[in-house]
Amino acid sequence: MFRKQHGHPEQQTGLFGVFRLEDVWQCKTGKTKQCMDYYKIGLIRGSNRAHYADNSIAGPATTLVFFNPHAPYTWESLEADKTGFCCVFSPPFFTTQMQEKINALPMFMAGGKPVHILTKEQDKAAADIFIRMLEEWPSDYRYKYDLLRNYVTQLIHLALKMQLTDVDSKKGESYNNKAHLN
């Protein structure tokens, strides 16, 4: 499932894996195992429940989820038909600069927002990125790990933009509510 980076020009080490959920999920329903050594980003379709920190989110929505190796979580599937994608990577997969910053990103930090409910358009955008990862991963392209890091970064930016949109819409709601009160 994982491949260690070999012969990469930057001499980065680390593990990376990407897969379709329907190819690896063995059981019909149930909880996922938590791998404490890896960061994970998943695009999960179907009814699910995520438990992380003191929060739980459940529903039939398509979600983009981010888990870091330092935060306990469980992911529970509530139905048999599960589709989606997941990429898993160890901290050394990223450059030293990104390794220093990754835990400060809102989706990976303690108390952050690791679960994002997607629209159909966002689902398509995220799925397209995962498909490109799946196509690139087995290649012999010399700079493929640079490219795979860029794809992971695109997923991070997709979620960051969603968080900014959520904040902006809440500000707009607050502004509109105040405007109606005056």
Side-chain angles (χ1 to χ4, degrees):
M1 177 156 68
F2 294 108
R3 291 193 185 142
K4 189 170 179 112
Q5 300 177 40
H6 293 290
H8 189 265
E10 292 180 5
Q11 298 302 312
Q12 290 296 117
T13 59
L15 298 174
F16 177 83
V18 61
F19 48 89
R20 292 179 189 277
L21 294 179
E22 51 269 34
D23 294 340
V24 297
W25 247 330
Q26 302 293 323
C27 57
K28 298 285 185 203
T29 59
K31 293 183 181 180
T32 63
K33 293 180 182 177
Q34 180 177 353
C35 299
M36 292 300 292
D37 297 333
Y38 303 101
Y39 288 88
K40 292 165 229 53
I41 303 174
L43 174 65
I44 303 173
R45 298 179 184 117
S47 290
N48 299 284
R49 184 179 301 129
H51 307 279
Y52 61 94
D54 294 334
N55 299 308
S56 290
I57 295 178
T62 298
T63 54
L64 186 61
V65 296
F66 296 82
F67 293 114
N68 78 54
H70 310 293
Y73 73 90
T74 58
W75 190 268
E76 185 179 0
S77 175
L78 303 175
E79 64 183 33
D81 291 333
K82 293 174 274 309
T83 63
F85 305 89
C86 187
C87 70
V88 182
F89 51 94
S90 62
F93 170 70
F94 274 114
T95 61
T96 303
Q97 181 181 9
M98 184 61 172
Q99 286 178 45
E100 294 170 359
K101 296 178 180 179
I102 194 165
N103 289 324
L105 292 169
M107 66 281 300
F108 288 120
M109 68 190 302
K113 183 181 176 189
V115 179
H116 304 273
I117 297 171
L118 303 182
T119 65
K120 286 181 182 181
E121 294 80 18
Q122 292 164 333
D123 177 357
K124 182 180 178 343
D128 288 346
I129 295 168
F130 276 107
I131 289 167
R132 282 183 264 150
M133 281 187 209
L134 285 166
E135 291 169 350
E136 190 60 44
W137 191 43
S139 82
D140 291 331
Y141 176 53
R142 181 178 171 138
Y143 300 101
K144 78 175 177 182
Y145 290 103
D146 289 327
L147 189 52
L148 290 167
R149 274 192 291 277
N150 284 330
Y151 291 146
V152 169
T153 304
Q154 286 179 14
L155 291 170
I156 290 169
H157 283 285
L158 178 66
L160 288 171
K161 284 181 168 184
M162 290 172 56
Q163 288 180 352
L164 289 174
T165 302
D166 290 346
V167 169
D168 289 343
S169 68
K170 286 179 183 173
K171 284 181 184 176
E173 289 172 12
S174 175
Y175 175 78
N176 289 335
N177 288 341
K178 287 179 185 176
H180 291 295
L181 294 174
N182 291 335

